[in-house]
Amino acid sequence: MDYTSRMGGKALGARLRRLSETIDRDATRAYATAGTRFEQRWFGTLNQLAINGPMTVSELAAALRITHVSVSQARQSLEKNGLIASQDDDADARRRYLALTGAGTRLIRRLQPLWRAMEAAALEVNAEADDAIAALDRLDEALARRSLFDRIMQRLGNEETNS
Amino acid sequence: MDYTSRMGGKALGARLRRLSETIDRDATRAYATAGTRFEQRWFGTLNQLAINGPMTVSELAAALRITHVSVSQARQSLEKNGLIASQDDDADARRRYLALTGAGTRLIRRLQPLWRAMEAAALEVNAEADDAIAALDRLDEALARRSLFDRIMQRLGNEETNS
DNA sequence: AGAATTTATGTAGGCGCCTACCATTCTGGC
DNA sequence: GCCAGAATGGTAGGCGCCTACATAAATTCT
């Protein structure tokens, strides 16, 4: 039991952060070992485009539950690497449709075995942890019902409720 | 059920990252609302120094399970804000002992109510999530037994075992 | 039609943490 | 006593994501 676990709730954020970093790092290492240049942040966008076909920045942000800013940055990186291409929408000049290029499609195909291995490894760990993913679901739900901020403020007797 | 949960293990890292960011953000907002300038990364160091008295950078890193680099950066920020002071060790010139200043001690005292509220809020969420913290413990343990990287590599038939 | 608002996307800069690398100081074997 | 290697701390630069703000285009209101 290390520091963050002994701290109970107080270091929950730090705890989650560290865990996510450990996992990200291992994934990055796996990509490197597999000899493929791949950035973590590409995954969501690439995966969505493979599933749904061309999508706009905002659609991707909504689907991935990240900000459009992050999608925009991922887009730049993906385009620079020739994995996707953007195309203006004739009907609405604000929109920018992103689509996989041939190279993008090939990369996804090449990564299939690795992604399957990652998925299997993650599920194995999850099983050993007695379905930690379900616990994360419950955490998400609890926070969606009422944010941590609101809960903190209530306890301080400080009903600003600006959220 | 959003994207990351539907993805099962494949987006586990992203999932944890998002959750930790949500919590960090709410905590930051709570500090701001409480009218106190406070950076998340100060917490671990400040807390350890309050508990144990003066400690070196490496000792803090080990206790907090982060790199000495992060501690070193937190130190600079804490010193710049007058909350801690460093002092050279006469016996070993490499060592740098960090200790709370009066301002640091006062800040901690002033933050006690907020920290208690945060702790209580976190425990409430944790209870609603049916002890998600325990699930995180199990996740840590599973990954300590065998890293995600090793599990992935094994599945790829690629026994590099460079870890 | 023109103004106000909303929507779509982008840039700048920040967060907390990391790896890679560097300098200095201490220590243990010879 | 000296020198290789370990220990301690630091800097540079990066990661993936964010908020705050900016711009342009579409839509709504009157």
Side-chain angles (χ1 to χ4, degrees):
Chain A
M1 290 307 93
D2 73 341
Y3 166 70
T4 46
S5 30
R6 276 198 322 274
M7 288 306 295
K10 226 179 301 189
L12 183 55
R15 190 93 194 274
L16 289 162
R17 203 187 306 124
R18 215 181 51 209
L19 205 41
S20 79
E21 281 167 358
T22 301
I23 291 175
D24 277 0
R25 220 174 355 266
D26 274 30
T28 298
R29 227 160 36 109
Y31 285 118
T33 304
T36 313
R37 239 212 106 238
F38 192 82
E39 298 177 20
Q40 291 290 323
R41 61 177 166 163
W42 291 351
F43 178 77
T45 296
L46 240 33
N47 193 242
Q48 283 293 302
L49 294 180
I51 294 171
N52 303 321
M55 295 173 77
T56 66
V57 172
S58 296
E59 285 168 356
L60 283 163
L64 299 172
R65 297 240 188 167
I66 57 178
T67 61
H68 76 271
V69 177
S70 296
V71 175
S72 175
Q73 290 168 344
R75 174 192 69 72
Q76 293 176 48
S77 171
L78 283 161
E79 273 193 56
K80 202 171 301 171
N81 284 272
L83 301 171
I84 67 168
S86 38
Q87 180 191 354
D88 292 338
D89 182 353
D90 303 327
D92 187 339
R94 293 169 307 179
R95 286 205 173 99
R96 179 168 218 167
Y97 271 95
L98 309 187
L100 292 173
T101 59
T105 307
R106 279 192 298 281
L107 177 63
I108 289 175
R109 197 155 35 225
R110 183 147 31 93
L111 284 176
Q112 283 305 327
L114 179 52
W115 282 349
R116 264 195 296 274
M118 285 178 168
E119 170 78 356
L123 291 181
E124 178 184 278
V125 171
N126 184 52
E128 277 181 39
D130 209 4
D131 207 353
I133 291 178
L136 294 179
D137 286 339
R138 294 192 301 266
L139 215 43
D140 272 341
E141 284 159 21
L143 290 175
R145 268 196 300 276
R146 185 131 190 263
S147 77
L148 194 60
F149 178 77
D150 286 350
R151 296 169 194 258
I152 293 167
M153 285 301 118
Q154 182 213 334
R155 273 176 180 70
L156 281 178
N158 186 346
E159 248 86 21
E160 313 252 332
T161 48
N162 37 350
S163 164
Chain B
M1 293 303 94
D2 75 339
Y3 167 70
T4 45
S5 30
R6 277 198 321 276
M7 288 307 294
K10 225 180 302 188
L12 182 56
R15 191 91 193 275
L16 289 163
R17 202 188 306 125
R18 217 182 49 212
L19 206 42
S20 80
E21 281 168 358
T22 300
I23 290 174
D24 277 1
R25 217 171 1 263
D26 274 29
T28 299
R29 229 162 31 110
Y31 285 117
T33 303
T36 314
R37 241 213 104 238
F38 192 82
E39 297 177 22
Q40 290 290 322
R41 60 177 167 164
W42 291 351
F43 179 75
T45 296
L46 240 32
N47 193 242
Q48 283 294 302
L49 295 181
I51 294 172
N52 303 322
M55 296 173 76
T56 66
V57 172
S58 296
E59 285 168 356
L60 283 162
L64 299 171
R65 296 238 189 171
I66 58 180
T67 61
H68 77 270
V69 177
S70 296
V71 175
S72 175
Q73 289 167 345
R75 174 192 68 72
Q76 294 176 50
S77 171
L78 283 161
E79 271 192 54
K80 201 171 302 170
N81 284 272
L83 301 171
I84 67 169
S86 37
Q87 181 192 353
D88 292 339
D89 183 353
D90 304 326
D92 186 340
R94 293 169 307 179
R95 285 205 174 100
R96 178 168 218 167
Y97 271 94
L98 308 187
L100 292 173
T101 58
T105 307
R106 280 193 297 280
L107 177 64
I108 289 175
R109 199 155 34 226
R110 182 145 33 89
L111 284 176
Q112 282 305 327
L114 180 52
W115 283 348
R116 263 195 296 275
M118 284 178 169
E119 170 78 355
L123 291 181
E124 178 185 277
V125 170
N126 185 52
E128 278 182 38
D130 210 4
D131 208 353
I133 291 178
L136 294 179
D137 285 339
R138 293 193 301 268
L139 216 42
D140 272 341
E141 283 160 20
L143 290 175
R145 267 196 300 277
R146 185 131 190 263
S147 77
L148 194 60
F149 179 76
D150 286 350
R151 296 168 194 259
I152 293 167
M153 285 302 117
Q154 181 213 334
R155 274 176 180 71
L156 280 178
N158 187 347
E159 250 85 21
E160 312 251 332
T161 46
N162 36 350
S163 164

